[in-house]
Amino acid sequence: MFSSGECLTPLEADSVRKSRSTSARANTRIVALDGLRGIACLMVVCSHFFCDTFGQTAALMDTPLIKAVFDGNLAVAVFFIISGDALSSGFLRQRDAASILRPALKRYPRLVVPTLLSTAFLFLLIRLHLVYEIPSQDILGSKWLFHWINEDITIVDVLRFSFLDVFLKNRAHYFNPFLWTMHYEAIGSIVIFLMLAVLHLNRKAVPVLLALTLLAFHDGKSVVFLLCFLFGAFLAFLRTSGNISRFERTVASKVLSLSALPVLFVLSLVFPHAYFHTGLSLIKAPLFTMAFLGNAQGRHFLETPGIQFLGTISFPLFLFQYSVLISVTSFLIVTYYPLHHTVEMACFIATSGVLLSMILAIVTSPMENLTKSICNIVYENAMRLLKGGTAIRE
């Protein structure tokens, strides 16, 4: 039954087959992507707490150096590259329908379950009157969060937002303005799965699919982010085809690893206004990504325990940062910032917000295991239904 010549009963063979399949899927995981996701998430969080919150009142937070290091637009685009890579890698290795169906069936609960838990926590803060967003924005003279807390929200609103509205472009910021990315995450994921399916069935139709997709989502931001997803898929193709390994042995790889980040920083100084425009992310995000993933040294850095830890808590950190910002951070702004209107106080409040967000992410990180369990249940039941339907037709 197996090439190793094992003599097993059908039950034992099925068990071994499942264990080998699970092991094979585990071995295809690109650990460095988790590290890169962690770095990108920390950049986004620091951008929100330092630059966006205090940029208008503390001059230090609005300098090119700080804005370039905590470049939120760049980090979001990197998120989408990582998603395109991660969603494509399994199929590009195995080239079977199951490697498309498995992540596709798990994708919706993978995004919804953590969103639901974080939104429920936010709902609890609002109902307990532990949010100070409005008075803090009055003190800072900025309404950058473009969001007014509605204390009349109900559990039904929480459920509707988590299961539906978070993926709709005009509703994605209703509870948590940082979740505007979920709309593009959903669209990009669908495009990747469709592209992989077309590759599996008839690869000649891929250009037509991509052209129709870009026509359907033709606004500037959608095009930029969809192209980031596609670059991620292309990166996965380069890795699985061995081209990344060959590239690592070239001089260009070393030049890229040493120069990409300095080049980005110089661009931020030379073009301070255009640099942070979303459109430039098409240049910045691939450069930033390849600076780490395109060479062995960069990947080894991403695989170090500290960076891997950031990757482990990245999704809860992204989801729960807003809760910290409108509660503890806003409380500190209301209580202390008017009395000590200094850069030092701004740095202290912003740093404490980032650290508290990380602590909350660590505390809530078990939800990742819960999410994986729910995703597996959804996948297994969906496959059982599909197999049952096939058996009935036969």
Side-chain angles (χ1 to χ4, degrees):
M1 186 174 293
F2 293 101
S3 58
S4 58
E6 299 169 271
C7 296
L8 304 171
T9 67
L11 184 61
E12 291 171 332
D14 185 60
S15 176
V16 170
R17 189 184 298 109
K18 287 181 178 179
S19 67
R20 290 182 175 179
S21 176
T22 301
S23 176
R25 288 197 298 271
N27 290 334
T28 64
R29 185 175 183 85
I30 310 302
V31 177
L33 289 180
D34 295 329
L36 185 61
R37 186 183 290 108
I39 291 176
C41 185
L42 187 60
M43 288 172 62
V44 168
V45 173
C46 289
S47 172
H48 289 152
F49 280 92
F50 284 89
C51 304
D52 294 329
T53 301
F54 291 102
Q56 293 190 17
T57 60
L60 177 65
M61 309 297 187
D62 199 39
T63 59
L65 174 61
I66 297 297
K67 291 173 66 178
V69 173
F70 302 147
D71 188 349
N73 284 336
L74 165 62
V76 168
V78 171
F79 275 145
F80 296 142
I81 290 177
I82 294 170
S83 291
D85 190 327
L87 295 175
S88 305
S89 293
F91 170 77
L92 293 173
R93 278 191 171 86
Q94 300 171 31
R95 298 285 179 170
D96 58 4
S99 57
I100 304 173
L101 195 59
R102 187 184 304 110
L105 290 173
K106 292 182 177 182
R107 194 61 175 161
Y108 180 71
R110 176 70 185 95
L111 297 176
V112 165
V113 175
T115 299
L116 175 61
L117 296 176
S118 65
T119 305
F121 181 76
L122 183 59
F123 170 76
L124 184 64
L125 289 178
I126 295 171
R127 296 308 293 264
L128 293 176
H129 306 287
L130 295 176
V131 296
Y132 304 88
E133 179 192 43
I134 295 175
S136 70
Q137 289 187 115
D138 291 338
I139 291 170
L140 297 172
S142 169
K143 300 195 184 302
W144 71 273
L145 291 177
F146 57 83
H147 179 64
W148 297 89
I149 294 296
N150 179 9
E151 296 191 358
D152 296 328
I153 58 174
T154 66
I155 292 294
V156 174
D157 296 321
V158 171
L159 294 174
R160 175 177 170 175
F161 175 80
S162 302
F163 284 91
L164 177 62
D165 287 352
V166 73
F167 301 111
L168 303 180
K169 188 173 183 179
N170 296 325
R171 299 281 296 177
H173 64 275
Y174 180 71
F175 271 97
N176 185 337
F178 300 158
L179 297 190
W180 63 268
T181 59
M182 285 292 196
H183 167 74
Y184 298 100
E185 189 71 48
I187 296 299
S189 299
I190 292 171
V191 170
I192 290 294
F193 291 136
L194 286 175
M195 183 187 71
L196 296 179
V198 171
L199 270 174
H200 184 60
L201 298 172
N202 182 6
R203 64 178 58 194
K204 293 181 180 179
V206 170
V208 177
L209 170 66
L210 297 181
L212 291 175
T213 299
L214 294 176
L215 284 174
F217 303 97
H218 59 274
D219 65 283
K221 186 176 285 190
S222 295
V223 170
V224 168
F225 293 149
L226 285 175
L227 288 175
C228 286
F229 270 92
L230 295 176
F231 178 79
F234 179 64
L235 194 60
F237 167 75
L238 292 178
R239 185 187 304 108
T240 55
S241 62
N243 285 294
I244 290 289
S245 298
R246 287 189 283 273
F247 177 71
E248 287 177 357
R249 296 190 289 270
T250 66
V251 175
S253 170
K254 295 180 175 58
V255 172
L256 179 63
S257 64
L258 293 174
S259 63
L261 298 183
V263 165
L264 290 176
F265 179 64
V266 170
L267 286 175
S268 72
L269 296 177
V270 177
F271 306 104
H273 299 296
Y275 180 81
F276 298 100
H277 190 274
T278 301
L280 204 60
S281 297
L282 280 178
I283 299 174
K284 297 181 339 185
L287 270 178
F288 185 89
T289 302
M290 291 301 295
F292 290 100
L293 296 181
N295 60 91
Q297 292 77 15
R299 284 205 320 279
H300 290 159
F301 172 72
L302 295 177
E303 292 169 0
T304 56
I307 303 301
Q308 283 294 299
F309 171 75
L310 276 179
T312 301
I313 65 170
S314 59
F315 199 22
L317 177 58
F318 178 75
L319 290 172
F320 284 93
Q321 58 172 315
Y322 181 62
S323 296
V324 174
L325 182 57
I326 66 171
S327 57
V328 177
T329 299
S330 293
F331 173 78
L332 292 176
I333 291 171
V334 172
T335 307
Y336 296 106
Y337 198 55
L339 302 176
H340 306 281
H341 196 80
T342 62
V343 172
E344 292 77 10
M345 179 56 69
C347 286
F348 169 76
I349 294 174
T351 302
S352 65
V354 173
L355 293 176
L356 186 56
S357 297
M358 293 179 69
I359 292 172
L360 185 57
I362 294 170
V363 172
T364 58
S365 59
M367 75 178 187
E368 292 289 80
N369 292 328
L370 172 64
T371 302
K372 290 177 183 177
S373 298
I374 293 175
C375 287
N376 288 334
I377 292 171
V378 169
Y379 172 70
E380 289 168 4
N381 284 312
M383 292 304 296
R384 193 174 294 115
L385 288 173
L386 288 173
K387 290 177 181 177
T390 303
I392 290 173
R393 286 195 298 272
E394 291 176 351

